Structure formats: C-alpha cells, structure tokens
Amino acid sequence: MRAIRQGFGAIVSVAVLITGTAVAAELRAAPAPAEDLPATAPAAGEPEDFGASCRTVVEGSRVTAHCSNPYPRTDRIRLHVECDRWWDVDSDSAPVEVGPADYAQVTGRCWKEVRSAWITHQPADLAPAQDSPPVRGS
C-alpha cells in the first residue's frame, strides 16, 4: 500500500512539474506590452469597436445570457439555443438592444437538454434583415 502512495505522489509531482514548465514557457513566449501606444481614433474606413460582452449560463434545460456593453454604440443581440433532442424545437430570441454602458439579460429554453447556445451581435444603426447572417458571434 505504501508503494502505491509513493507511486501516486511521484506521478502527481511529475504532472505539477510539467504543468509549471508549460506555464513558464507560455509566459516567456508572450510578447511584452508596448510602452507607448498612440491614442488615435479608428480610421474612417475601419468599423468602430462594438459588441456587448456576453456570457451564457446553461442550467438544465434553461439558458440565460448576461450581456454588458462597454462601447459607445448600441449593440443588437440575439440568443440562439440549439436543443439536443431531434424533436425539441431550437429557438432564436427577439433582438434586444444593449445601449452604451447598459446591461441586458436574455433567456431561452429547451424541453430537455441544451446542445449549444450562442449570442449574435449586430450594430443597432443597421436595419435588421430577415435571413441575413449575423455580423459577429460570441
């Protein structure tokens, strides 16, 4: 029994050593932050940053998306829920506008298990079009 404990301890020690080495290599490979970043506005042809920061929480058959928008443009978000069972209906929420420095919570559900859930974003100043692909997903 003592040999098993020592063997397990050795395996754990090697795993910790390998993990530490991998983390150190990642830190060493990361680029250094730039000292002087110019404070310039985006070029006229480039789109301005937008998009609420969202996280989705799945609890059983219910999905909740929590979104906050740190940008000065209003973001139109939609929650998409794909259900696991073939007979369970997938759903897309109505568009919800999240203004600058605003917060929104969107919910959806399946009858049984949830396979996946995601949020799509669209600038609110663009007219929503039926059957057009979303601008960006998260």
Side-chain angles (χ1 to χ4, degrees), residues 41-91:
E46 295 179 20
E48 183 180 336
D49 285 338
F50 90 100
S53 173
C54 298
R55 67 181 176 88
T56 56
V57 178
V58 178
E59 295 174 335
S61 63
R62 297 183 185 275
V63 178
T64 305
H66 305 274
C67 299
S68 61
N69 186 5
Y71 296 109
R73 289 178 64 187
T74 301
D75 185 14
R76 183 177 290 123
I77 61 168
R78 293 183 73 177
L79 172 64
H80 307 276
V81 179
E82 183 178 352
C83 301
D84 197 33
R85 308 290 176 121
W86 67 268
W87 46 263
D88 207 346
V89 179
D90 298 343
S91 64

Side-chain angles (χ1 to χ4, degrees), residues 6 42 79 83 98 101 113 122 135 137:
Q6 288 177 347
L79 172 64
C83 301
V98 185
E113 300 87 10
Q122 183 180 29
V135 174

